[in-house]
Amino acid sequence: MGKAAKRPNVIVFFTDQQRWDTTGVHGNPLGLTPNFDRMAALGTHAAYTFTCQPVCGPARSSVQTGLYATEAGCFTNGIPLPEGSRTLAHYFGEAGYDTAYIGKWHLACTRTSPVPVEKRGGYDYWLAADALEHTSDAYKTVLYNNDNEPVELPGYRADALTDAAIRYIGSRRDADAPFYLFLSYLEPHHQNHRDDYPAPDVYRGHYTGRYVPPDLAALGGNAHQHLDGYYGMVRRLDEALGRLNDAIKSLGLAEDTILAFTSDHACHFKTRNAEYKRSCHESSIRVPMAFSGPGFDGGGTLRELVSLVDLPPTLLDAAGIPVPESMQGRSVVPLLNGKRADWPQEVFVQISESQVGRAIRTKRWKYSVTAPGRDPIRDAGAAEYVEEFLYDLEADPYELNNLVDKASHEPVRSQLRERLLARMAAAGEPVPLIRFLPPVVSGQLRINPEDIY
């Protein structure tokens, strides 16, 4: 393929456990993300983006395959991507791209051991670790190369991965084939073995007591202990984003490179359960997302509800590669061209490990169900669920007032119940029974069905 006709390069900048409201465009007052904010302002900002599964491995299986986690087969951590799975690396590779993966994989279940070739999802260039949180620390980054040799990279961990990515991009400058690079950070995920959020030394203590999001301020947890480090990690990630963009520009690749930024899930700092995610709440499922480069520059702000499962078809579509009919997400590219009529009016979320749960989030409502009799580690789904949460996000954006047992909101629950069942069926799940709450006898809320959106 000649250079003039070459398809765009594609880079995914993927963070771990990053809340949407760490960014300036979502109201954070600390100035943590000037590079992301610029990307959102000058490129395309998907302002309402949500994970489809708020835990690392399952979310990553969806991002690699374009399938919901139950369909991909990885509905909890600890389940490797099944042999024969088709990933973004396969689709890009078959279209003539060189493919590369740098950072955290979390889909091989080798934990601290190298990932064998057959478990790398089809990627050509490999500099990664399955569970980066267990092979590295903030200032000790150990990855494995194509030959499964350990490689210790210097610097703060986010910087080490960024340096590796810049070296790879630089090596592709004069190549005839375009490249697709998935750059997967651990930050701002906690350091597991000591339950700490280790920021770069220069930012330690810098954000103590500076800003606590309202949901965390109201609910406690351990946010006051960890937000300082978490924010420092976010700031360094944003600096890494800036460095990556500078490298792309200096190499003359800016006009030929699509860059996508997002995260696998968010973080609620032990406010909603005993750990950091695995719940239906915004603080667990809502993430930042923006795009830049050809086809996305000047795209403005998308107000539609976007899911992580929409990322794979979006990247393929933007690169001019046919989107497989098997993918369960949708490309956002048509939204940039004003084709909004059939875009889903809710996002669908599967929850595991803390519960066997399902949820939908519309523009106004959050509705969630759980299967208390099922094992959240062993059971992918259930035949019967009970209603657990209903939030009116218009009146209660921080989800502090659960309306699921309010008689006044039975019509809302009824409509959302049917929509959740439809989304479960569309995702390939058997249609379950969702148990009603006790009958409503008075005080029903009259509501226009359109208000459900």
Side-chain angles (χ1 to χ4, degrees), residues 180-199:
Y180 153 64
L181 166 63
F182 200 101
L183 176 56
S184 179
Y185 294 91
L186 181 63
E187 286 73 26
H189 191 285
H190 57 288
Q191 189 65 43
N192 295 57
H193 67 267
R194 62 176 184 272
D195 193 22
D196 181 29
Y197 289 81

Side-chain angles (χ1 to χ4, degrees), residues 104-122:
K104 173 178 173 174
W105 178 237
H106 214 143
L107 287 172
C109 302
T110 59
R111 198 174 171 86
T112 57
S113 299
V115 176
V117 173
E118 64 273 16
K119 293 183 178 293
R120 295 178 188 170

